[in-house]
Amino acid sequence: MNPVDAFDVIRKDVRIDELIRRLAPGQGPVSAEGLWGSFARILAGIVADRARRPLLLITAHNDEADDCRDDIETVTGTAPDLLPALETLAGEEVEADELVGERLRLCIGMEQGAGNGERGSKDAPPRCIVASIQSLMQPVPSPAAIEAQSLLIEVGQTLDPDQLVRRLDERGCQKCDQVEVPGDFARRGGIVDVFSNAHTDALRVEFFGDEVE
């Protein structure tokens, strides 16, 4: 007897097609009832994998968000993006830490990928985002704020390295001998190293005079 892929049985259920149709823009609220255990997460993963726009899955607690990612990865083979909750209380100043960087990179990915490319392409938006209620109650930068604080640097571009250093300093970046953490930058002659919260690794910009090499 041939083994049966339970997930494949669910994927082929006609009710999945109907659920995706009803989730289209302008269709109004949709309710999927009778779900128990991990099935709600499995269903969300399958729908997100089939639909061609991002799906936001909201959990009650932060720990549950991690469990949701594991379940969705099991059924789709890919872990969904996570909007992590900041480890600060209301009214406390938010530090530029790893969690802030993760939230920022997710926002940038949503903005850059909106309406661009097929799934799996570099510019495609996330298919599924898992977020706890706590993480959604914490603010994220608007697209306008991200654009205002961003600087695009391309090879062949004319850019005064002194101007770049001033811009980094004015935006609160820390000048140091060697970049180690997000927010650091260093300059050695015609080389400027920058570790931005928008990236997981530091970047190096090499100049020949005022030209970006």
Side-chain angles (χ1 to χ4, degrees):
M1 183 172 58
N2 295 327
V4 176
D5 185 344
F7 295 146
D8 195 48
V9 172
I10 299 172
R11 292 187 189 95
K12 295 178 179 178
D13 194 301
V14 294
R15 288 170 292 185
I16 299 294
D17 295 326
E18 178 64 14
L19 180 58
I20 293 175
R21 186 188 70 79
R22 294 193 182 191
L23 284 171
Q27 295 297 313
V30 181
S31 175
E33 301 178 348
L35 309 180
W36 55 274
S38 297
F39 190 73
R41 306 166 187 173
I42 293 171
L43 179 62
I46 291 175
V47 170
D49 197 49
R50 292 268 305 275
R52 294 189 175 273
R53 63 190 183 92
L55 182 145
L56 174 64
L57 181 60
I58 303 173
T59 66
H61 306 287
N62 295 331
D63 291 341
E64 187 180 350
D66 292 330
D67 293 338
C68 281
R69 294 187 76 222
D70 293 339
D71 287 342
I72 293 176
E73 184 177 12
T74 298
V75 67
T76 65
T78 303
D81 288 89
L82 173 69
L83 180 68
L86 300 176
E87 298 175 353
T88 56
L89 300 177
E92 291 183 345
E93 183 177 354
V94 177
E95 299 291 338
D97 59 11
E98 182 178 349
L99 295 178
V100 173
E102 290 180 16
R103 292 168 66 89
L104 175 61
R105 288 191 292 273
L106 179 57
C107 292
I108 292 175
M110 289 290 294
E111 177 65 15
Q112 293 179 340
N116 295 329
E118 294 293 327
R119 292 178 302 174
S121 69
K122 180 180 177 181
D123 296 326
R127 285 180 292 182
C128 183
I129 301 171
V130 177
S132 66
I133 293 176
Q134 178 182 343
S135 69
L136 289 176
M137 293 177 66
Q138 297 168 334
V140 296
S142 66
I146 292 176
E147 182 177 2
Q149 294 295 323
S150 299
L151 176 64
L152 176 64
I153 301 177
E154 298 178 308
V155 174
Q157 174 182 346
T158 299
L159 175 64
D160 184 350
D162 292 333
Q163 178 184 352
L164 173 59
V165 169
R166 285 195 300 270
R167 180 186 176 100
L168 294 170
D169 185 63
E170 291 170 355
R171 279 157 177 74
C173 295
Q174 181 68 38
K175 186 176 182 180
C176 55
D177 294 331
Q178 181 176 340
V179 297
E180 296 181 354
V181 297
D184 286 351
F185 77 95
R187 180 183 181 183
R188 292 179 299 281
I191 295 177
V192 179
D193 293 332
V194 184
F195 200 156
S196 164
N197 278 322
H199 300 90
T200 56
D201 297 297
L203 305 177
R204 170 163 291 179
V205 184
E206 296 188 18
F207 291 89
F208 182 74
D210 289 347
E211 181 179 346
V212 178
E213 285 198 310

